[in-house]
């Protein structure tokens, strides 16, 4: 990251912003921001790279398409599935015409699009795309034991859980775990995804012992590889909270809910100053609101007579409002401190 920023500064100081190398460096920097969970910075930086490539003309269409694919991934992570799918459909169509329907590149495009369709509730369309991906990934590598095949199976496990096809979900998740372990090892942040899918499937049919093993694996992997401040960690801590609630261990459930909100409040404090109003709303309705409503239901069901916990709900509401106002005030202060006219 530091080296890329220095290279970009050098280019700017020497009027080299309108070059492919400058745009490529921006794209690389945005990928680093994305990996660190800094989605708003990644979005801004990817868009800057796209603008540069587009100004350079048709010869750089491939660079535009590749960077738009990266930007679509950021939109997906922010929960803006409409923007994500629009870009993904454009990227897939261009690469289908250029590389062909049996190309690895087109399969990756389909995989990205299928995941977004899944989150939009378009399950049949998503399944069709996933199956095409599996065929191409097996064909291109000569085996099912490859990382892209495993990633597709992990996503299909999620799809089948949401679709109510639990046996298929469990089978896909188990197969994906084996593939991930072969390709990446047990302790890699990506291996947490199929474990989480497997846990969700087991929990949906009340096999809580099996669910606990899978969900705890995902939780520990994310904690050790990403840390408690990463957005993905909140997904695991929240899943652990739900599991403990279903098991009747309310003390443990409370512990994991506290971890979840600590993560979300940290995200608000860190990221809200550079989010647009639309992105703030998306974050709130996609992440915070469902988790908070779930937490309120937990308190009402398990501790409705506990005035201290009822007061804690009110405290969380105040903290949430306060952090959002504080984050917004950061932007206002920076604008007022600037000499630039609006």
């Amino acid at each position: 990251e530091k080296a890329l920023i220095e290279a970009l500064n050098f280019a700017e100081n020497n009027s080299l912003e309108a070059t492919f190398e400058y745009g490529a460096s921006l794209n690389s920097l945005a990928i680093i921001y994305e990996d660190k969970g800094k989605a708003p910075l990644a979005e801004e930086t990817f868009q800057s790279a796209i603008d540069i490539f587009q100004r350079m003309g048709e010869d750089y269409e491939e660079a535009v398409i590749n960077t738009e694919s990266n930007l679509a991934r950021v939109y997906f992570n922010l929960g803006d599935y409409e923007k994500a799918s629009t870009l993904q459909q454009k990227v897939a169509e261009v690469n289908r015409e250029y590389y062909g329907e049996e190309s690895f590149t087109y399969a990756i495009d389909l995989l990205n699009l299928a995941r977004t369709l899944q989150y939009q509730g378009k399950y049949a369309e998503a399944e069709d795309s996933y199956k095409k991906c599996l065929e191409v990934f097996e064909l291109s590598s000569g085996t099912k034991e490859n990382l892209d095949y495993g990633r597709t199976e992990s996503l299909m496990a999620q799809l089948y859980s949401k679709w109510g096809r639990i046996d298929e979900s469990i089978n896909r998740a188990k197969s994906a775990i084996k593939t991930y372990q072969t390709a990446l090892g047990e302790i890699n942040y990506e291996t947490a995804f199929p474990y989480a899918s497997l846990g969700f499937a087991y929990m949906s049919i009340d096999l809580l012992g099996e669910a606990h093993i899978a969900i705890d694996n995902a939780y520990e992997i994310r904690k050790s590889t990403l840390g408690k401040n990463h957005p993905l960690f909140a997904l695991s801590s929240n899943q652990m909270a739900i599991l403990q609630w279903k098991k009747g261990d309310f003390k443990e459930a409370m512990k994991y809910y506290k971890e979840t909100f600590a993560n979300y409040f940290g995200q608000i404090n860190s990221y809200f100053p550079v989010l647009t109003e639309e992105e703030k709303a998306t974050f709130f309705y996609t992440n915070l609101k469902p988790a908070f409503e779930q937490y309120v239901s937990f308190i009402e069901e398990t501790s409705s007579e506990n005035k201290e916990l009822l007061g804690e709900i009110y405290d969380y509401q105040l903290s949430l409002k306060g952090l959002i106002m504080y984050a917004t005030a950061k932007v206002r202060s920076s604008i007022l401190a600037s000499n630039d006219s609006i």
Side-chain angles (χ1 to χ4, degrees):
E1 179 182 348
K2 182 179 178 181
L4 283 170
I5 291 174
E6 289 176 353
L8 289 167
N9 288 336
F10 176 83
E12 291 163 6
N13 292 333
N14 290 276
S15 302
L16 298 173
E17 296 97 327
T19 63
F20 173 81
E21 289 75 14
Y22 186 80
S25 295
L26 283 174
N27 183 59
S28 297
L29 181 61
I31 290 172
I32 292 174
Y33 288 148
E34 182 186 6
D35 287 343
K36 288 186 173 182
K38 299 177 180 179
L41 275 175
E43 177 193 359
E44 179 184 350
T45 310
F46 278 135
Q47 188 59 63
S48 295
I50 291 168
D51 292 342
I52 289 169
F53 294 140
Q54 286 177 332
R55 288 197 296 269
M56 294 176 68
E58 294 181 0
D59 290 343
Y60 294 89
E61 182 183 17
E62 184 176 359
V64 172
I65 289 298
N66 290 338
T67 312
E68 285 182 330
S69 180
N70 293 336
L71 178 57
R73 190 171 59 241
V74 173
Y75 284 140
F76 176 89
N77 291 332
L78 286 169
D80 196 336
Y81 304 129
E82 188 64 34
K83 281 185 179 179
S85 64
T86 298
L87 275 180
Q88 287 164 345
Q89 286 168 351
K90 174 188 174 183
V91 169
E93 182 59 25
V94 170
N95 284 334
R96 182 186 67 80
E97 292 180 2
Y98 191 81
Y99 296 104
E101 291 188 351
E102 294 184 355
S103 69
F104 181 85
T105 299
Y106 180 59
I108 292 294
D109 296 334
L110 280 181
L111 181 62
N112 294 332
L113 177 58
R115 186 173 61 153
T116 306
L117 291 171
Q118 175 179 325
Y119 275 76
Q120 289 178 306
K122 300 175 181 179
Y123 296 153
E125 293 178 51
E127 182 185 30
D128 286 344
S129 292
Y130 282 139
K131 287 182 175 179
K132 290 178 184 176
C133 292
L134 291 178
E135 292 174 5
V136 176
F137 291 143
E138 183 179 3
L139 181 66
S140 63
S141 66
T143 176
K144 294 180 180 180
E145 297 297 320
N146 67 81
L147 186 56
D148 293 300
Y149 197 97
R151 284 172 176 155
T152 306
E153 286 200 302
S154 180
L155 291 168
M156 291 182 79
Q158 296 177 24
L159 170 67
Y160 288 137
S161 276
K162 291 181 178 296
W163 210 345
R165 295 160 62 174
I166 303 303
D167 288 343
E168 291 171 272
S169 175
I170 291 171
N171 290 336
R172 288 291 186 185
K174 286 181 176 180
S175 178
I177 288 169
K178 291 180 181 178
T179 302
Y180 271 66
Q181 289 173 338
T182 300
L184 299 171
E186 178 72 25
I187 307 301
N188 183 285
Y189 83 93
E190 287 203 54
T191 312
F193 288 104
Y195 272 123
S197 297
L198 181 60
F200 184 86
Y202 278 136
M203 192 160 52
S204 70
I205 54 176
D206 291 327
L207 292 178
L208 302 185
E210 291 87 342
H212 193 155
I213 294 171
I215 293 170
D216 186 60
N217 275 328
Y219 176 89
E220 292 296 336
I221 288 170
R222 282 174 174 160
K223 184 170 71 172
S224 64
T225 59
L226 299 174
K228 289 189 172 184
N229 296 324
H230 195 281
L232 286 174
F233 179 77
L235 300 181
S236 283
S237 60
N238 190 57
Q239 194 178 27
M240 283 293 287
I242 297 170
L243 173 66
Q244 298 298 343
W245 180 5
K246 288 177 73 72
K247 291 175 66 176
D249 193 337
F250 303 141
K251 183 177 180 180
E252 282 293 289
M254 181 67 69
K255 181 184 79 172
Y256 290 115
Y257 275 123
K258 286 180 181 293
E259 285 187 346
T260 301
F261 286 116
N263 180 290
Y264 283 150
F265 290 156
Q267 289 186 59
I268 291 173
N269 194 32
S270 298
Y271 304 147
F272 260 51
V274 291
L275 287 176
T276 65
E277 291 304 313
E278 181 183 45
E279 288 167 340
K280 288 178 185 177
T282 297
F283 177 84
F284 178 77
Y285 286 107
T286 302
N287 298 307
L288 268 175
K289 188 172 184 289
F292 186 74
E293 289 177 347
Q294 180 192 111
Y295 177 70
V296 170
S297 297
F298 166 72
I299 295 298
E300 289 177 344
E301 180 179 316
T302 64
S303 311
S304 59
E305 301 302 319
N306 189 323
K307 292 183 179 179
E308 181 180 346
L309 291 180
L310 292 175
E312 194 169 83
I313 292 177
Y314 181 68
D315 290 341
Y316 273 136
Q317 286 178 315
L318 289 180
S319 296
L320 177 59
K321 290 179 180 178
L323 278 169
I324 292 175
M325 290 177 66
Y326 171 68
T328 304
K330 282 184 179 180
V331 177
R332 183 174 182 273
S333 296
S334 66
I335 292 173
L336 292 175
S338 171
N339 292 323
D340 296 337
S341 59
I342 299 176

